[in-house]
Amino acid sequence: MQGTTGTPPQPTDTYQPTDRTVPTRAPDRASYDKELVHAILDEGYVCHLGFVRDGAPVVLPTLYGRVGERLYVHGSTGSRPLRMTGAADPGLPVCLTVTHVDALVLARSAFHHSINYRSVVVHGTAYEVTEPEERRTALDALVDHVVPGRSRDSRPANKKELAATAVIRLDLDEVSAKLRTGGVNDEPEDLALPHWAGLVPLRKGYAAPVADPALAPGTALPDYLSAG
Amino acid sequence: MQGTTGTPPQPTDTYQPTDRTVPTRAPDRASYDKELVHAILDEGYVCHLGFVRDGAPVVLPTLYGRVGERLYVHGSTGSRPLRMTGAADPGLPVCLTVTHVDALVLARSAFHHSINYRSVVVHGTAYEVTEPEERRTALDALVDHVVPGRSRDSRPANKKELAATAVIRLDLDEVSAKLRTGGVNDEPEDLALPHWAGLVPLRKGYAAPVADPALAPGTALPDYLSAG
């Protein structure tokens, strides 16, 4: 069907929208751009992982890491969602969401109050990772996600620690970003109201690192932290 | 059964733990203290609301507000989760989670990397709010949640805006907080390793507000923002 005037070929730098990833409202705020999705994911510290247990939803915050088009989540082998992917023939249907709040949007009208945010929602099936090399890669990615470059500057997991750690994988396939940017959207007839309106950006980044009291003598603050 | 030496009476300033709110691991990090739960909820801007759609989990970020032991979420009457609570006889089973990341915990070992965080997980059933006065209270709470005191300094919703807004309620009943605080927990044999270890606190609060260019002349920055 190439060359017809029907649906254009989907560029490979975007995710294919699905019924679940096209929002029911404000579709202009949705994006399927892979670069944008990756940037939002890489900036976050925790994701919110949703799964279904006994028919009811459960949403837990957890660390994650990204390697290309795969997300990894880890945890104790005893933790609930990770146990549910064990013996992982069918896998565990999950929804993994990462959100950044960038600014409060204060409008003159209560109705137009909002926030500027960037979020990514990933739908899919999580599988336990058992292959040792992929587990190592995933665990490095989880540490490097928190502080890029950190995995090379720490003691790798030993056998006992590896045995206590479950890793699950979620492919980036059914994915969308949603974001609000820009200023206040008040009604024209409200502009003269005496209420302050504008953006209140939230502060980002690190404060000054606090060294562990038992730090080995002469251990300097690493470059990857002083950039803040 | 009062006065017996069996289970002590549950103090009313804590939530009653349930099977769903007792974690499978790190139970020492769990709390059911209402004051702590409220403080964590009140500090957040967005929650992550989980529900089940066609058997699969969905997790969406959304604004919320608290009035005593009730949380409120609002949205367009056309949005998916809000539509699902309509004709709300049975209500919509949800899990609502709020998480704050306070600090990155950099250990000498990859395994002991962590974050200091505070989270609240609420399980329950969400119902549409139709009673006009409760809707007004909820919408004020949603605005005041973002910036305390703001609802009094904005134009209240008019009839058309109210008609376009759905409000849902979730009672705080099956609730737990989970938190990690404190420093690095490295193994004793790792303490002499040359890797920097410590806490990297994340910055919090507001940056300088940015006024809307169309602000009515003479409109000052309100006190509730200058405190930052």
Side-chain angles (χ1 to χ4, degrees), chain A residues 19-20 22 24-25 45-46 48-53 55-61 63 76 78-80 83 93-95 97-99 101 104 106-115 119 121 123 143 146-147 150 153-157 161 164-165 184 187 190-212 214-216 219-222 224-225, chain B residues 19-20 22 24-25 45-46 48-53 55-61 63 76 78-80 83 93-95 97-99 101 104 106-115 119 121 123 143 146-147 150 153-157 161 164-165 184 187 190-212 214-216 219-222 224-225:
Chain A
D19 174 53
R20 293 199 289 197
V22 174
T24 44
R25 59 182 291 270
Y45 293 112
V46 299
H48 282 81
L49 183 70
F51 56 100
V52 179
R53 182 176 174 239
V58 180
V59 179
L60 299 179
L63 296 168
S76 157
S79 82
R80 211 166 264 160
R83 274 198 332 237
V94 298
C95 181
T97 301
V98 172
T99 306
V101 178
L104 316 178
L106 273 57
R108 296 156 184 87
S109 58
F111 185 78
H112 284 295
H113 277 67
S114 187
I115 55 167
S119 66
V121 176
H123 297 272
V143 169
V146 173
V147 178
R150 176 68 185 178
D153 189 21
S154 56
R155 173 179 67 68
E161 290 166 345
T165 306
V184 177
E187 304 296 330
D190 286 336
L191 292 181
L193 289 176
H195 309 303
W196 189 90
L199 298 180
V200 183
L202 297 189
R203 299 172 76 207
K204 304 269 178 175
Y206 304 150
V210 180
D212 184 48
L215 212 61
T219 306
L221 187 70
Y224 52 75
L225 287 181
Chain B
D19 174 54
R20 294 199 287 197
V22 174
T24 44
R25 59 180 292 271
Y45 293 113
V46 299
H48 282 81
L49 183 70
F51 56 99
V52 180
R53 182 177 175 239
V58 180
V59 179
L60 298 178
L63 297 168
S76 157
S79 83
R80 211 165 262 159
R83 274 198 331 237
V94 297
C95 180
T97 301
V98 172
T99 306
V101 178
L104 315 178
L106 272 57
R108 297 156 184 86
S109 59
F111 185 76
H112 284 295
H113 277 67
S114 187
I115 55 167
S119 66
V121 176
H123 297 272
V143 170
V146 173
V147 178
R150 176 67 185 179
D153 189 20
S154 57
R155 174 180 65 70
E161 291 166 345
T165 305
V184 177
E187 304 296 330
D190 287 335
L191 292 182
L193 289 176
H195 309 302
W196 188 90
L199 297 182
V200 183
L202 297 189
R203 298 173 76 206
K204 304 268 179 179
Y206 305 150
V210 180
D212 183 48
L215 212 59
T219 307
L221 187 71
Y224 52 75
L225 287 181

Side-chain angles (χ1 to χ4, degrees), chain B:
Chain B
M1 297 293 288
Q2 275 188 324
T4 66
T5 54
T7 312
Q10 194 69 25
T12 57
D13 52 356
T14 62
Y15 296 104
Q16 182 76 43
T18 70
D19 174 54
R20 294 199 287 197
T21 62
V22 174
T24 44
R25 59 180 292 271
D28 52 308
R29 293 185 184 173
S31 168
Y32 306 92
D33 181 82
K34 287 188 177 179
E35 202 174 325
L36 176 66
V37 163
H38 293 174
I40 293 171
L41 290 172
D42 293 351
E43 191 180 322
Y45 293 113
V46 299
C47 65
H48 282 81
L49 183 70
F51 56 99
V52 180
R53 182 177 175 239
D54 299 334
V58 180
V59 179
L60 298 178
T62 187
L63 297 168
Y64 65 101
R66 181 177 72 85
V67 178
E69 295 296 332
R70 287 184 163 170
L71 293 183
Y72 293 101
V73 169
H74 75 334
S76 157
T77 49
S79 83
R80 211 165 262 159
L82 296 164
R83 274 198 331 237
M84 291 174 72
T85 61
D89 277 7
L92 178 69
V94 297
C95 180
L96 185 154
T97 301
V98 172
T99 306
H100 307 296
V101 178
D102 295 323
L104 315 178
V105 181
L106 272 57
R108 297 156 184 86
S109 59
F111 185 76
H112 284 295
H113 277 67
S114 187
I115 55 167
N116 280 348
Y117 69 96
R118 291 164 294 142
S119 66
V120 164
V121 176
V122 183
H123 297 272
T125 303
Y127 298 96
E128 187 180 2
V129 179
T130 54
E131 201 274 312
E133 195 167 335
E134 186 178 359
R135 279 168 52 85
R136 288 268 184 198
T137 302
L139 292 175
D140 282 351
L142 275 147
V143 170
D144 286 333
H145 185 89
V146 173
V147 178
R150 176 67 185 179
S151 68
R152 286 190 306 276
D153 189 20
S154 57
R155 174 180 65 70
N158 59 31
K159 260 191 175 174
K160 186 183 148 199
E161 291 166 345
L162 284 171
T165 305
V167 176
I168 60 176
R169 179 184 72 222
L170 173 64
D171 287 346
L172 293 174
D173 178 30
E174 193 172 353
V175 184
S176 61
K178 205 169 166 195
L179 49 164
R180 187 200 190 279
T181 58
V184 177
N185 289 335
D186 264 317
E187 304 296 330
E189 61 268 28
D190 287 335
L191 292 182
L193 289 176
H195 309 302
W196 188 90
L199 297 182
V200 183
L202 297 189
R203 298 173 76 206
K204 304 268 179 179
Y206 305 150
V210 180
D212 183 48
L215 212 59
T219 307
L221 187 71
D223 286 344
Y224 52 75
L225 287 181
S226 47

